Amino acid sequence: MSRVLATLEKIDALHADGNGRPVKGPVIPHEATLDDMAGYGDAKDWGLDLARDIADWRTGSISWEEVDKGILLSGPPGVGKTIFSRALAATCGVELVVASYAKWQARGHLGDFLKAMLASFAEAKKKAPSILFIDELDAFGERTAGGTDNSSYDVKAINGLLEQLDGLDGREGVVVVGACNHPEWIDAAITRPGRLDRHVRIPVPDLEARAGIFRMHLRGALSDGEHMAFAEATEGMTGAAIEQIVREARRTARKRRQQLSAEDVFRHVPPMVVMPPQVVRVNAIHEVGHAVVGAVLGMNLEKVSISKTLRLAPQHQSVGRAVFKRNPWARRTKEHYLDIIAMTVAGMAAEQLFLGCWDDGASGGAGSDLHEATMTAIALERSFGMGQKLASYGPIDDKIASDIKSLDAALMAQVDAILRKQLERAMTILERHRDACVRLAAELVERGELPGREVLDALDEGGEQGNPVVRGYG
């Protein structure tokens, strides 16, 4: 968001190596296994089970058909999907073969792509038992998202991957670990039973996990109490960022020709800054807008919260969010999506109503409230057959939306009308509950978090709790 970007730009160097080059991800300590890893939850449990199954398969106790053939790992950049695959291979005592969409596609031509893919699978089979790690799996997209210049390439690339995942010999001895940031972009055929049918999301590490990550990278150099102190100072940071802190701390200690100290580590922890009261108030008003409109429209509000501090680090950070519990059985009708759009733009509506205007934090680039609402409106008009036209372009992502907007002259006028109507609808709801909004925003500034029940009590609003979603702002 614009209120903090200027501050964040000052500290890009904190996430570069000694020569100023950016660091992509964590470096795994030599021969680390899953037993050494922290913060991986279900993925770690799966990996330990796999190690036992492979050991049993090697002794002939079980057949390969009884061993899990693969897993899909997802999560934000830096949570350690690559480091997991290395530790998994070490735990299972097998070879690791590393591949990615970009590596296969490096020469550009479809024939070269398929040849490189085949070579990776052949290498994994030759080294079996082995782990084949495929990064950037979401780059394959969906075969149903046709209509682009690259659709034929994409379809053939996905079909080639499916052929390799199936394999006439069942790829005995090869476990495939796929990794991505956006699992929703992946063709459903890739994750059907018998392929990458198990999906585990790796979250940003919690307090205990961060302490474990520091312990792993520091390799016993400091005490458990110091590990926990580091963890408390790095809330919201990924495993990759923690590894970078330790690497810089070691470099500092080497320059001093002394042993690594806690002070060396703390020197490289990006500091937290207290946001100005006026910024906190804007964030509170914005999030109350989401919470109130969502609650009034029947969404199951769990809580609304804001942050009063911000870490001086370049990664994206949320400064507030309204959390709604999802109802997996809700009918996703036109009214459902219009409610989502109204709730999504409600933060902008609250800023307009109570502050006179909104800023570009709510309406800026990809991921902003206005961008998300626009994508939903495009999908309603051109994917779900719920607008002025019945025909569907199929699933809508940013690239498809860009192509549609350039080819469909009438679309943006229709989308704009939807957005304006739902913005007015959100403002009407907030105006009706103006006094409650003012009180709730003041409470949120004071306490930082309000439970959903308290918001509903303030609104004195009944109604059913359906069609829930999650809306964040940052």
Side-chain angles (χ1 to χ4, degrees):
M1 72 189 260
S2 61
R3 291 183 289 274
V4 298
L5 285 178
T7 305
L8 299 183
E9 288 172 353
K10 298 177 182 178
I11 40 69
D12 284 346
L14 286 175
H15 286 259
D17 65 14
N19 296 315
R21 295 185 296 266
V23 176
K24 182 178 180 182
V27 175
I28 189 168
H30 182 61
E31 292 301 320
T33 67
L34 291 178
D35 290 321
D36 304 312
M37 310 293 283
Y40 284 93
D42 291 341
K44 179 176 178 178
D45 293 340
W46 175 86
L48 293 173
D49 287 342
L50 177 68
R52 285 189 287 270
D53 287 346
I54 289 179
D56 289 342
W57 170 73
R58 278 171 154 160
T59 63
S61 301
I62 63 174
S63 67
W64 185 251
E65 284 69 30
E66 297 177 77
V67 180
D68 268 357
K69 306 301 187 299
I71 191 171
L72 172 64
L73 303 177
S74 68
V79 294
K81 298 181 286 292
T82 304
I83 196 175
F84 174 85
S85 69
R86 296 175 184 169
L88 177 63
T91 304
C92 295
V94 302
E95 294 277 356
L96 176 67
V97 177
V98 178
S100 69
Y101 184 96
K103 181 180 178 181
W104 289 340
Q105 205 257 346
R107 296 183 64 181
H109 191 274
L110 178 62
D112 295 319
F113 180 100
L114 296 175
K115 187 182 299 183
M117 180 194 299
L118 180 61
S120 293
F121 275 88
E123 181 184 358
K125 291 175 183 177
K126 182 178 180 180
K127 293 180 176 180
S130 65
I131 304 292
L132 174 57
F133 176 71
I134 306 175
D135 204 1
E136 305 163 353
L137 204 63
D138 45 5
F140 281 92
E142 290 186 288
R143 291 171 297 175
T144 56
T148 70
D149 292 340
N150 296 323
S151 58
S152 177
Y153 188 110
D154 295 338
V155 167
K156 291 172 183 174
I158 294 171
N159 287 342
L161 176 63
L162 297 179
E163 182 179 347
Q164 292 302 314
L165 287 174
D166 290 338
L168 294 177
D169 59 358
R171 54 181 168 85
E172 183 170 355
V174 178
V175 176
V176 177
V177 176
C180 68
N181 298 331
H182 303 284
E184 67 277 7
W185 294 357
I186 297 176
D187 192 288
I190 295 175
T191 55
R192 78 156 175 78
R195 292 168 181 163
L196 303 185
D197 50 3
R198 188 183 297 268
H199 174 208
V200 176
R201 181 169 180 83
I202 300 177
V204 174
D206 60 14
L207 179 66
E208 291 295 331
R210 293 195 302 276
I213 294 170
F214 272 108
R215 186 179 301 110
M216 177 182 68
H217 287 298
L218 288 167
R219 300 194 289 275
L222 299 171
S223 69
D224 284 346
E226 288 167 320
H227 297 153
M228 186 57 68
F230 302 149
E232 291 172 348
T234 52
E235 182 178 358
M237 299 189 74
T238 65
I242 290 173
E243 190 278 331
Q244 174 65 10
I245 289 171
V246 174
R247 182 162 54 231
E248 294 291 351
R250 291 188 184 283
R251 182 176 291 117
T252 298
R254 288 197 302 272
K255 287 180 179 178
R256 293 188 294 103
R257 296 292 189 267
Q258 294 180 2
Q259 289 187 335
L260 182 71
S261 69
E263 289 73 22
D264 293 325
V265 176
F266 277 119
R267 181 191 300 272
H268 295 285
V269 173
M272 298 290 287
V273 296
V274 177
M275 287 188 282
Q278 64 271 24
V279 174
V280 175
R281 179 171 177 266
V282 171
N283 294 341
I285 289 171
H286 183 103
E287 296 306 330
V288 164
H290 287 308
V292 167
V293 170
V296 169
L297 293 178
M299 300 178 188
N300 189 359
L301 178 66
E302 289 194 331
K303 66 179 180 178
V304 57
S305 62
I306 58 169
S307 298
K308 298 182 182 182
T309 58
L310 191 71
R311 187 175 302 284
L312 294 182
Q315 67 263 30
H316 174 87
Q317 299 172 71
S318 173
V319 294
R321 59 178 183 158
V323 180
F324 297 87
K325 186 176 180 181
R326 293 185 179 275
N327 176 6
W329 303 108
R331 289 193 70 216
R332 293 183 287 185
T333 62
K334 180 177 182 178
E335 289 69 27
H336 167 82
Y337 287 107
L338 291 177
D339 286 350
I340 288 177
I341 294 171
M343 184 275 296
T344 304
V345 299
M348 295 166 52
E351 291 187 44
Q352 180 69 42
L353 185 62
F354 296 106
L355 301 171
C357 64
W358 63 76
D359 62 44
D360 65 359
S363 57
S368 69
D369 290 343
L370 186 56
H371 175 263
E372 293 298 320
T374 300
M375 292 294 290
T376 303
I378 290 175
L380 190 151
E381 285 285 335
R382 294 295 186 267
S383 185
F384 306 143
M386 297 175 181
Q388 295 185 15
K389 294 184 178 181
L390 185 60
S392 171
Y393 284 110
I396 304 295
D397 59 20
D398 283 341
K399 186 179 186 306
I400 298 297
S402 177
D403 293 338
I404 292 173
K405 286 184 287 187
S406 65
L407 298 172
D408 192 338
L411 173 63
M412 293 315 290
Q414 295 162 2
V415 168
D416 190 68
I418 292 172
L419 295 174
R420 290 184 182 278
K421 185 173 182 179
Q422 296 309 311
L423 181 65
E424 292 172 5
R425 183 185 180 203
M427 290 186 68
T428 298
I429 292 172
L430 294 172
E431 180 63 55
R432 189 191 315 149
H433 299 281
R434 174 183 282 269
D435 292 343
C437 290
V438 172
R439 293 196 305 272
L440 288 168
E443 280 292 310
L444 191 56
V445 167
E446 179 69 23
R447 294 157 54 188
E449 180 175 309
L450 300 175
R453 184 72 259 170
E454 190 168 329
V455 174
L456 292 173
D457 289 343
L459 294 172
D460 192 27
E461 181 79 19
E464 62 187 28
Q465 305 298 304
N467 297 337
V469 292
V470 175
R471 180 80 261 123
Y473 178 56

